[in-house]
Amino acid sequence: AAPGTALADEHTFQHALLTIPPKYLADIPRNQRNLLLEMLSTDRNRLDLKHEWLHWYSDGGDVRGTSMAWAKELPRPNKSPLIFVHMPKPFAKPVIPPGAEQTIILERQATILGMKWRDVTQQVMPEGVDRNLHFRSRREDTTIEAGEWNHVPSRDGAGKIWTFGTRVADLHWNGERFEVRKPASKKLTESWKTDTD
């Protein structure tokens, strides 16, 4: 079966990508998620199910969203994993400023109506971390890199655009919460790089 099959086990990262509400995954409709996973299944630099990691961006085709998105599973001992998502909407549309709602941490929770996704960002994100930053999940570990946004003139002189700036912190996942650490570098890691590259 293709990686995007709807039969994916409900506790897997794959299932999360199929069921997360569109507003938390760059507004990609759920009815396009199987196609999304199938399309990315051969590109480990954009979807790595072994490491529960996604970096989606639209370069045409049938799957449409409102921005690129990073997603990463955050394992927890004896609990269902959390899902980290960051949607850098200013990068997609220069008129949209960075916003806290573009970075979300989700938990699957049982309700009387079935399993639902719940926003637990406030409980998990360390106090004092500016959620208006750009957050980039790494592929092979659970560190999230936080970087500034730069608002700079566009090359065509038609106004200003947002670009990714200096990395200011690394958020290390300890199994329950993030711990803020000094960044290992001032540069954000490129999506296709790994710790072993």
Side-chain angles (χ1 to χ4, degrees):
T5 177
L7 299 176
D9 183 276
E10 67 178 33
H11 300 295
T12 65
F13 180 64
Q14 179 179 327
H15 186 268
L17 294 177
L18 290 169
T19 60
I20 288 172
K23 69 178 180 177
Y24 297 136
L25 196 62
D27 303 299
I28 301 169
R30 283 190 178 117
N31 65 7
Q32 292 185 9
R33 303 290 178 78
N34 279 319
L35 178 60
L36 170 73
L37 296 183
E38 186 175 345
M39 185 176 73
L40 299 182
S41 66
T42 59
D43 190 347
R44 188 170 169 258
N45 296 325
R46 296 178 67 187
L47 175 65
D48 187 338
L49 292 176
K50 177 184 174 187
H51 294 103
E52 295 94 14
W53 174 87
L54 167 83
H55 177 205
W56 180 81
Y57 51 90
S58 176
D59 51 3
D62 297 325
V63 176
R64 300 286 175 173
T66 52
S67 73
M68 70 170 67
W70 274 269
K72 179 70 179 177
E73 183 174 288
L74 303 172
R76 297 187 296 175
N78 305 314
K79 292 182 185 176
S80 63
L82 301 180
I83 303 295
F84 166 90
V85 180
H86 177 69
M87 301 167 287
K89 292 183 182 284
F91 194 69
K93 296 195 174 190
V95 296
I96 301 176
E101 73 286 350
Q102 295 166 22
T103 303
I104 298 102
I105 300 164
L106 299 165
E107 175 184 50
R108 280 192 89 229
Q109 190 176 56
T111 71
I112 57 170
L113 300 174
M115 299 302 288
K116 300 287 183 187
W117 287 102
R118 183 172 75 103
D119 183 345
V120 294
T121 314
Q122 297 283 27
Q123 296 95 299
V124 176
M125 191 68 82
E127 195 173 330
V129 172
D130 182 359
R131 283 179 56 203
N132 293 314
L133 293 169
H134 166 61
F135 294 93
R136 184 173 296 187
S137 54
R138 294 209 299 236
R139 187 166 80 194
E140 293 192 0
D141 62 37
T142 52
T143 297
I144 308 295
E145 299 175 5
E148 296 174 330
W149 285 99
N150 291 335
H151 204 201
V152 300
S154 64
R155 290 182 185 158
D156 61 9
K160 286 191 161 186
I161 59 170
W162 295 94
T163 63
F164 301 135
T166 304
R167 182 167 149 197
V168 295
D170 286 349
L171 307 182
H172 287 258
W173 181 247
N174 67 13
E176 290 294 333
R177 296 180 56 82
F178 283 113
E179 299 171 355
V180 182
R181 297 186 187 167
K182 184 177 177 180
S185 164
K186 289 188 175 182
K187 190 174 180 182
L188 291 161
T189 302
E190 297 293 346
S191 299
W192 56 88
K193 299 289 186 185
T194 70
D195 295 339
T196 56
D197 284 347

